Amino acid sequence: MNEPARRLSVVVLVLFLALMGAASYIQVIGADDLNQDPRNVRTLYREYGNFRGPIVVDGEAVVWSQPVDDPFNYQRSYTQGSLYAAATGFYSIVYGRSGLEQTENALLNGSADALFWTRLGNLFAGEQQQGASVETTLSAGLQEVAAEQLGSQRGAVVALDPATGEVLAMVTSPTYDPAVLAGHDTATVNENYAELLAREDGPLINRAIAGDTYPPGSTFKLVVAAAALEGGYTPDTELYGPQQLALPGTSRTISNFGDAECAGDEYLPLSDALRISCNTAFADLGMSLGWGVLERKARDFGWDEPLEIPLPVTASRLPESPNESETAMSALGQFDVRATPLQMAMVASAIANDGVLMKPYLVDTVRASDLTVVSQTEPEEYRQSMSAEDASDLTQMMVGAVSDGTGRAARIDGVEVAGKTGTAQTGQDTPPHAWFVSFAPADDPVIAVAVIVEEGGETGSGATGGSVAAPIARSIMERAIQLDAEGDL
Amino acid sequence: MATVSELQVRTGRRAEIALLGVSWAIIVLARALVDYHADFLELRTLGIYAAAAAALMLGCHLLLRRYAPSADPVLLPAVLAINGVGLAMIRRIDFGYAQYRGRETAFGDTQIGWTVAGVLLAMAVIFVIRDHRLLRRFTYTAGVVGLALYLLPLVPGLGVTINGARIWIDLFGRSLQPGEFAKIAMVVFFAGYLVTNRDTLALAGPTFLGLRFPRPRDMGPLLLVWAAALLLMVYQRDLGASLLFFGIFLGMLYVATQRISWVVTGVALFGAGAVLAGTIFPHVRARYDAWLNALDPDLYSAGTSEQLVRGLFGMASGGLFGTGLGEGRPDLVPYAESDFIIASIGEEMGLTGLMAILALYLILVQRAFRTSIGVRDGFGKLVAGGLGFALALQVFIVVGGVTRVIPLTGLTTPWLAYGGSSMLANWIIVGLLLRISDQARRTTAEVAE
């Protein structure tokens, strides 16, 4: 009976090899598929179960993980959640992540390659994986002013430090509180999300960088003026600015705001045309320069190129081979020209920074849980948008627009402010978008800001950039100058 | 022959105490890790646990020295290591249930009780049964007792139905699975019967289609008991046990008669039966579906394959090295402490840990076969081989079910899974194997002289 017993033991060996093969398949070869199966809550629990790093504004955590006694171990918590939602985004067990919570996820949850040594340390200390903290460039003070000034009006504010590209403020309105999506009760989160999604004013949309892009209106004249200066024009070059300008090839005409005259004799210098935002003069200028020149200059300021700050920024758009009349309309920031508020802030920032456009960024420093610096963003030149000389000329023209032009509402006592208004038509029956882009102080700028209030805001159809958006920009610049003087910016 | 008489035969007791030391370290460390990760580490309780384990092991060792000095030195340490890992894992699952599920369970503590009882039972077997050949006298008694044990759950007022299977009895408030014990009785019965009748079975009888079939009077009693037991299990909806029982029977029949053609016939019959059962019984059909299309969303949401798939998720998340004891979520798998303890081990100890456990089982089974080959009497050969094969098959059926090698059926993983009957029965097997191996290795010594 020994021989069959031996054979039987071989059969057993084969059976066990089958088990080992199957286990290897499940745990190694097929493991990825199983781990990514949406029904596998383990991956979710593991992701949510670790300590997630905070998101910091001005040295204070505005988003942090609080230990709780449930399967997720931590509850993502927010101070002034709605104030920072545009930057932080949400972190939900049902709907995943958005904003910095998404782009900085690997750092926040501690799985990033850059945190390898920290993880190793945790492993040896028998500690849980610890996420890094993400310190933003935002200024709490400016963020608050911007949100307060926008109030319940739909719109957005973006403020940049022209010298570095730091995003000092990013506010979108209406917004939401990420806390309502961060709960661990799936039913409530579903309900809250559905509610936010159903709202017509789109609170989940980040209008500052990734909403529907807006027609920039007259703020685009800054780009046209920059192109003209580069093409040999001076602030004193006389432009043709009649009361009505016929659009070639159409029966339509371009008129000025309120059908006003730009100059008595139909000719006015470039600086005046920008100061009073003369439509006919810029339409004519745009046609004389030609679309190719305008397009190149717009690209120098960042049009046609998506950005990551690290939040993904929608590319601002330009029309494709417009004809003469379309070029005229484009020169006024209408037709198919579209821009994000961030793009317009970048225009102001480049002019403010001697023509050098710094790459905008939102994340300053990333620190591991032991407070060592994991990464620090260095300011980076993004584009040479125009020459320093042209930038200086354009700055003076913008100063004129504020001191004695359409942007008077942005004047600040004792400070030279450079700005440009925009009132972008959106349709026959809807009020215009009110724009204001500016920087201050004009000689040594600490802030460049772009404000848009959709469809005239509370003012409605009578709204202009000067009346609705300029006062908001003014408050923000004033606060920035004050913070800068206190050394807090 | 002076030179030969001086030959010292190694009893293996020294190797055993060294291996027991290794097992002890594994058992204590596993529990320490679990307690540490649950923030429950108390040196005092851990010390008591370690001391109790050491005392129990030392007791076994001394008893073996006295009553079975030549017994196999690997069996006891291997079983204890498996058992100790199981205890740690079950304790960890208790913590998991409490932490995530709000369930206060004490499976771990209960299981310690069963383990101690099991070890004592094994030692009692060694102490009482001084010679395994004694059991041969009880061949038919074993057959009757085995059948009776299988019948017990059907007795009204005594049997309980849990999860659709009527294989438990209620004894003093504890549910017991008599089938686990019946398994041992059946091995003894088959061994006794086959060793008496193997020659007539194999050599006498009519030939049909080129195969020689045994005479009905030789095969009759065997077939009667076998068929009765199988029918009972099918009736009780205990698919795993029927498969195991059928397998043990075929395996032992083969060892006794060397008739490969009978094995082939048996496997073919079983295959036909399985297909037939699949078409007739919806609950069998569902098992096949869940096995073949486990990840199908409909089967998952209907609950047919949910447990299986959750087990797979657990094992996948463990990967090569596991999440670490106490770091995973085995509580997400239904019956993580019993039927699916293998998935829990795969999750927290990784493929590495699972392989180690499987290797321990393999070593055990191979030692059983070695005992079978070493022992001189046919009855001992058949009992040792039968018990070894029963262990191997049981592990294959349950682990294979969890890892999708075969359809999932309910069986316990020996010494590892939570459950008293299984623990006691499997420790009786250890006792029997130790007893027979003592004989086997002493025989070798005698031959050497």
Side-chain angles (χ1 to χ4, degrees):
Chain A
M1 284 187 273
N2 288 349
E3 198 41 42
R6 263 189 206 106
R7 288 205 197 117
L8 200 57
S9 79
V10 174
V11 171
V12 168
L13 191 66
V14 171
L15 291 182
F16 271 70
L17 284 178
L19 293 183
M20 290 174 170
S24 305
Y25 180 79
I26 294 167
Q27 300 206 248
V28 180
I29 304 162
D32 274 355
D33 287 344
L34 288 166
N35 282 331
Q36 276 156 25
D37 192 298
R39 291 169 292 186
N40 189 352
V41 289
R42 254 186 206 76
T43 313
L44 202 68
Y45 282 139
R46 185 159 34 172
E47 158 79 37
Y48 290 82
N50 283 335
F51 175 79
R52 189 175 173 84
I55 299 178
V56 178
V57 173
D58 272 355
E60 272 182 51
V62 296
V63 183
W64 78 97
S65 282
Q66 186 172 4
V68 286
D69 195 17
D70 72 11
F72 295 95
N73 292 350
Y74 292 98
Q75 169 66 58
R76 206 65 170 150
S77 308
Y78 303 82
T79 29
Q80 294 184 282
S82 46
L83 181 59
Y84 297 107
T88 64
F90 59 76
Y91 183 75
S92 160
I93 59 164
V94 189
Y95 295 102
R97 309 168 284 260
S98 72
L100 287 175
E101 293 273 30
Q102 164 66 19
T103 62
E104 306 305 281
N105 185 46
L107 289 163
L108 288 168
N109 75 16
S111 66
D113 291 341
L115 295 170
F116 176 77
W117 295 109
T118 315
R119 269 203 303 283
L120 205 63
N122 290 339
L123 188 70
F124 281 120
E127 286 164 356
Q128 211 184 31
Q129 184 173 312
Q130 299 270 313
S133 65
V134 170
E135 295 172 13
T136 67
T137 56
L138 293 175
S139 150
L142 294 184
Q143 195 78 4
E144 274 162 23
V145 175
E148 186 187 296
Q149 290 289 317
L150 265 179
S152 60
Q153 307 175 100
R154 279 180 292 133
V157 171
V158 176
L160 300 173
D161 181 337
T164 59
E166 284 173 81
V167 179
L168 299 174
M170 180 163 74
V171 167
T172 172
S173 168
T175 184
Y176 66 99
D177 188 348
V180 303
L181 301 179
H184 293 169
D185 177 37
T186 316
T188 315
V189 170
N190 278 329
E191 205 174 292
N192 292 339
Y193 189 74
E195 212 169 282
L196 288 172
L197 212 56
R199 268 171 60 177
E200 273 179 22
D201 54 3
L204 290 171
I205 297 168
N206 187 345
R207 293 168 155 79
I209 56 170
D212 300 330
T213 45
Y214 300 101
S218 299
T219 57
F220 194 70
K221 287 173 184 162
L222 293 172
V223 177
V224 180
L229 291 171
E230 190 178 74
Y233 286 62
T234 71
D236 300 326
T237 308
E238 294 278 318
L239 304 181
Y240 175 58
Q243 192 172 8
Q244 303 263 318
L245 181 75
L247 283 176
T250 72
S251 55
R252 294 165 58 205
T253 56
I254 284 179
S255 57
N256 296 310
F257 183 72
D259 210 15
E261 284 185 342
C262 289
D265 59 355
E266 299 195 328
Y267 285 90
L268 73 171
L270 175 60
S271 58
D272 267 4
L274 191 84
R275 182 175 61 82
I276 61 170
S277 200
C278 176
N279 284 347
T280 50
F282 269 92
D284 188 61
L285 174 61
M287 286 190 286
S288 344
L289 290 171
W291 175 246
V293 174
L294 297 186
E295 187 181 46
R296 210 163 38 237
K297 194 39 66 186
R299 287 193 173 140
D300 286 345
F301 281 99
W303 259 267
D304 264 355
E305 184 141 324
L307 259 179
E308 280 176 4
I309 64 166
L311 309 191
V313 180
T314 312
S316 295
R317 284 187 298 115
L318 294 168
E320 271 180 52
S321 45
N323 60 29
E324 255 203 310
S325 64
E326 287 164 350
T327 301
M329 293 302 290
S330 300
L332 306 181
Q334 301 285 165
F335 189 54
D336 280 347
V337 180
R338 293 290 181 277
T340 58
L342 174 69
Q343 174 62 69
M344 292 322 298
M346 284 160 69
V347 171
S349 161
I351 301 165
N353 194 38
D354 297 329
V356 178
L357 175 57
M358 301 303 289
K359 189 168 187 225
Y361 65 95
L362 194 53
V363 175
D364 187 11
T365 310
V366 176
R367 275 179 215 279
S369 51
D370 57 5
L371 300 181
T372 53
V373 172
V374 176
S375 75
Q376 173 124 38
T377 313
E378 292 297 327
E380 191 187 324
E381 281 189 24
Y382 184 54
R383 293 267 198 285
Q384 178 76 45
S385 302
M386 58 199 302
S387 71
E389 219 168 292
D390 291 351
S392 159
D393 284 346
L394 192 48
T395 300
Q396 282 317 305
M397 288 154 64
M398 289 169 73
V399 168
V402 173
S403 62
D404 187 26
T406 52
R408 281 191 292 268
R411 279 187 294 198
I412 300 171
D413 280 348
V415 180
E416 260 194 345
V417 176
K420 179 72 195 83
T421 56
T423 308
Q425 301 301 325
T426 52
Q428 288 301 318
D429 305 318
T430 44
H433 294 328
W435 277 99
F436 197 72
V437 304
S438 60
F439 57 90
D443 52 346
D444 182 22
V446 297
I447 183 171
V449 61
V451 175
I452 181 168
V453 177
E454 281 181 27
E455 295 177 1
E458 284 155 5
T459 315
S461 55
T464 62
S467 67
V468 174
I472 297 175
R474 192 194 94 103
S475 304
I476 296 165
M477 289 184 291
E478 203 169 30
R479 188 68 199 274
I481 290 161
Q482 183 194 342
L483 286 172
D484 184 57
E486 291 165 3
D488 284 339
L489 196 65
Chain B
M1 299 252 274
T3 44
V4 178
S5 65
E6 273 173 22
L7 185 73
Q8 274 282 317
V9 175
R10 281 192 200 166
T11 60
R13 295 275 72 78
R14 250 183 238 171
E16 183 182 67
I17 194 79
L19 287 173
L20 280 174
V22 176
S23 296
W24 179 83
I26 293 173
I27 293 166
V28 174
L29 278 175
R31 179 172 167 120
L33 270 174
V34 165
D35 282 0
Y36 175 76
H37 281 294
D39 280 331
F40 212 81
L41 191 62
E42 277 177 9
L43 285 181
R44 207 178 133 262
T45 42
L46 187 69
I48 293 172
Y49 184 75
L56 198 64
M57 286 174 162
L58 206 62
C60 290
H61 176 73
L62 291 176
L63 188 120
L64 285 179
R65 266 186 189 272
R66 178 86 176 77
Y67 294 105
S70 298
D72 190 302
V74 180
L75 283 172
L76 191 63
V79 173
L80 280 167
I82 296 174
N83 199 327
V85 170
L87 286 178
M89 199 66 227
I90 292 169
R91 182 175 174 80
R92 184 265 166 278
I93 290 165
D94 275 334
F95 286 134
Y97 284 151
Q99 186 185 354
Y100 297 115
R101 298 281 154 133
R103 264 178 81 188
E104 291 300 328
T105 53
F107 294 132
D109 292 341
T110 316
Q111 185 81 341
I112 291 175
W114 287 120
T115 302
V116 173
V119 174
L120 294 179
L121 203 54
M123 293 307 121
V125 166
I126 291 165
F127 182 75
V128 173
I129 306 173
R130 294 299 169 81
D131 187 337
H132 66 269
R133 282 167 290 197
L134 191 79
L135 288 174
R136 198 177 160 184
R137 286 191 222 152
F138 300 101
T139 299
Y140 284 92
T141 319
V144 173
V145 167
L147 272 185
L149 284 171
Y150 279 126
L151 263 172
L152 271 183
L154 296 179
V155 177
L158 194 59
V160 220
T161 305
I162 303 177
N163 300 322
R166 196 173 173 93
I167 50 175
W168 277 269
I169 59 164
D170 188 20
L171 206 65
F172 310 117
R174 291 214 171 271
S175 43
L176 278 176
Q177 244 178 306
E180 291 280 353
F181 301 96
K183 179 175 71 188
I184 302 170
M186 282 300 170
V187 168
V188 172
F189 167 71
F190 287 153
Y193 189 90
L194 286 170
V195 82
T196 311
N197 300 298
R198 54 191 286 255
D199 292 339
T200 43
L201 274 172
L203 302 174
T207 313
F208 179 66
L209 290 172
L211 285 182
R212 185 190 296 281
F213 286 90
R215 292 179 303 190
R217 67 165 174 273
D218 297 330
M219 198 61 171
L222 193 64
L223 277 181
L224 194 73
V225 174
W226 171 74
L230 200 60
L231 276 177
L232 274 173
M233 282 181 268
V234 171
Y235 179 72
Q236 291 163 346
R237 297 195 161 190
D238 195 355
L239 300 173
S242 348
L243 180 57
L244 176 63
F245 183 73
F246 198 97
I248 295 171
F249 174 75
L250 277 186
M252 292 182 71
L253 193 62
Y254 171 66
V255 173
T257 62
Q258 298 208 45
R259 285 306 192 84
I260 196 84
S261 56
W262 291 1
V263 176
V264 173
T265 314
V267 170
L269 277 177
F270 185 85
V275 171
L276 194 68
T279 42
I280 297 174
F281 303 113
H283 71 277
V284 180
R285 167 94 237 149
R287 297 288 177 103
Y288 291 153
D289 275 350
W291 171 50
L292 293 172
N293 310 307
L295 292 168
D296 184 285
D298 292 338
L299 288 178
Y300 182 85
S301 52
T304 313
S305 69
E306 191 186 345
Q307 185 187 23
L308 178 61
V309 172
R310 280 178 179 232
L312 294 180
F313 286 159
M315 291 175 69
S317 78
L320 204 51
F321 299 109
T323 57
L325 269 174
E327 297 287 287
R329 289 297 305 275
D331 60 289
L332 292 171
V333 184
Y335 297 100
E337 77 285 356
S338 53
D339 289 17
F340 270 70
I341 193 150
I342 278 294
S344 306
I345 289 194
E347 174 172 3
E348 298 218 315
M349 296 167 69
L351 183 64
T352 323
L354 188 53
M355 287 288 194
I357 294 284
L358 288 177
L360 279 174
Y361 279 120
L362 194 57
I363 289 170
L364 269 177
V365 173
Q366 296 301 339
R367 296 307 280 208
F369 278 118
R370 211 166 135 167
T371 299
S372 165
I373 289 163
V375 79
R376 283 167 120 189
D377 68 297
F379 176 73
K381 280 181 190 300
L382 281 171
V383 172
L387 290 176
F389 189 58
L391 270 179
L393 209 55
Q394 181 153 358
V395 171
F396 178 75
I397 292 169
V398 61
V399 180
V402 172
T403 55
R404 276 183 89 196
V405 176
I406 54 168
L408 181 66
T409 55
L411 267 189
T412 55
T413 324
W415 303 291
L416 205 56
Y418 175 76
S421 320
S422 160
M423 185 63 89
L424 296 184
N426 286 311
W427 272 105
I428 292 176
I429 292 179
V430 176
L432 289 173
L433 286 176
L434 281 170
R435 169 48 71 214
I436 302 172
S437 72
D438 176 50
Q439 210 98 157
R441 292 163 56 86
R442 207 182 297 162
T443 313
T444 322
E446 279 163 15
V447 170
E449 280 166 36

